[in-house]
Amino acid sequence: MQICRTVAELRAARARFGALGFAPTMGYLHEGHLGLARRAKAECGASLVSIFVNPTQFSAGEDLERYPRDETRDLALLAEEKTDLVFLPHVSDIYPEGFSSTVDPGPLAHVLEGASRPGHFVGVATVVAKLLNMAQPTKAYFGQKDAQQCLVIRRVARDLDLPVEIVIQPTARDGDGLALSSRNAYLSKAERAAAPVLFRALQAVQARVVEGERDADRLRQMMQAMIMAEPLAELDYVSLADAETLSELARLDRPALASVAVRFGATRLIDNLVLQPSAA
Ligand code: PAF
């Protein structure tokens, strides 16, 4: 496993491979990230994982400073996955003095996470476009847990003609349904016990859709009520939106993204399920 710390090192190392699968991450790796690295290696023959806590996707007052980091542990986990290349850039390598160009993904970036976290997706789109340009991967892998991020990145890759296939991996979950996230490390014992309410609310909506419910407001109210019944949970949003455009639906007459964002103390968690009403 080769560790590259500068863009020049990454470019030189990448040139040794033909097909390359790339999993961009912010580190503090869990089984969800390792699944991306594993799939990248299996599908492309060679894999690259980047670890970079991207400051531009955090708003003022968010958790940039306390975002969990453990480089030694991350590198050991990636070595076990037989990862070929790891990119660990410094902030000044990604955003050198005078950096001023950004990627604005447009309307998809303004709803849901984008409404709660202004500027977040410009930060994500900019860093992902830069990383893809630096690494020139054949395929790039992202987790469905960040469903809106997946849509934004697909949009950017399409709009900017980036020569890469974007692959979305299903959400990795703990046994009780909680979506794996580096931020789960922030949860107290009581908050961790309460957090599976996100997935339970999404599953309850899925079950109602299977039973035939198509009224989006009733379904949103149901998710909302389940989450608000959990004393440690503070609801940010519930959404039932078109699975491609993310515009809120009145009726579930097409594939829909059911998504939620909830705070437990200072920790903000998100989760989602794609619903297929026609197959219900
Ligand atoms: O999903 C993440 O970890 C980050 O948003 C990403 C895609 C690595 C960009 O910083």
Side-chain angles (χ1 to χ4, degrees), residues 24-26 33 52 54 57 124 127-128 142 146 149 153:
T25 81
M26 298 207 300
H33 297 118
F52 178 63
N54 174 36
Q57 68 189 75
V124 169
V127 81
V128 170
F142 298 88
D146 297 298
Q149 170 171 281
I153 290 169

Side-chain angles (χ1 to χ4, degrees), residues 6-261:
T6 66
V7 179
E9 277 172 21
L10 173 66
R11 285 194 194 280
R14 193 270 169 265
R16 293 194 286 111
F17 298 95
L20 182 71
F22 176 29
T25 81
M26 298 207 300
Y28 210 70
L29 304 177
H30 52 63
E31 183 50 37
H33 297 118
L34 298 177
L36 302 180
R38 216 170 284 143
R39 188 165 170 192
K41 175 94 179 172
E43 290 185 357
C44 299
S47 58
L48 161 68
V49 174
S50 63
I51 298 176
F52 178 63
V53 181
N54 174 36
T56 65
Q57 68 189 75
F58 290 78
S59 310
E62 284 190 344
D63 56 346
L64 172 62
E65 297 310 325
R66 70 175 187 129
Y67 196 84
R69 293 162 169 91
D70 191 341
E71 188 179 305
T72 309
R73 179 177 157 278
D74 286 351
L75 290 176
L77 290 169
L78 292 175
E80 274 174 38
E81 297 302 332
K82 309 222 172 327
T83 305
D84 295 276
L85 300 175
V86 182
F87 184 38
L88 277 163
H90 192 264
V91 175
S92 60
D93 245 286
I94 302 291
Y95 301 112
E97 187 71 26
F99 179 89
S100 68
S101 307
T102 54
V103 178
D104 183 346
L108 263 184
H110 300 149
V111 295
L112 304 176
E113 287 304 284
S116 291
R117 308 179 65 190
H120 172 66
F121 286 117
V122 171
V124 169
T126 302
V127 81
V128 170
K130 280 174 69 73
L131 291 167
L132 292 174
N133 275 330
M134 292 167 189
Q136 304 278 309
T138 317
K139 299 186 184 190
Y141 297 81
F142 298 88
Q144 170 66 22
K145 202 236 353 158
D146 297 298
Q148 188 176 6
Q149 170 171 281
C150 293
L151 290 171
V152 161
I153 290 169
R154 277 225 159 107
R155 179 82 267 154
V156 168
R158 217 172 288 159
D159 288 352
L160 302 185
D161 303 300
L162 301 180
V164 62
E165 184 185 330
I166 304 297
V167 181
I168 309 303
Q169 171 93 336
T171 302
R173 298 182 182 280
D174 264 340
D176 58 7
L178 179 65
L180 297 189
S181 162
S182 305
R183 290 189 167 98
N184 293 350
Y186 299 146
L187 298 170
S188 70
K189 213 166 165 207
E191 289 166 348
R192 173 62 190 81
V197 71
L198 276 80
F199 189 49
R200 280 204 307 278
L202 292 165
Q203 281 183 309
V205 159
Q206 188 175 47
R208 287 294 293 125
V209 172
V210 170
E211 286 162 13
E213 179 65 84
R214 293 291 180 271
D215 185 286
D217 271 340
R218 275 205 291 268
L219 292 163
R220 279 187 207 97
Q221 277 157 21
M222 191 179 130
M223 279 197 283
Q224 195 166 331
M226 280 186 74
I227 291 167
M228 287 171 67
E230 168 48 60
L232 294 180
E234 190 196 324
L235 184 66
D236 184 345
Y237 64 76
V238 298
S239 161
L240 272 174
D242 180 289
E244 290 298 319
T245 65
L246 296 184
S247 55
E248 290 297 321
L249 295 173
R251 287 192 63 73
L252 267 74
D253 52 6
R254 63 197 110 142
L257 182 76
S259 62
V260 293

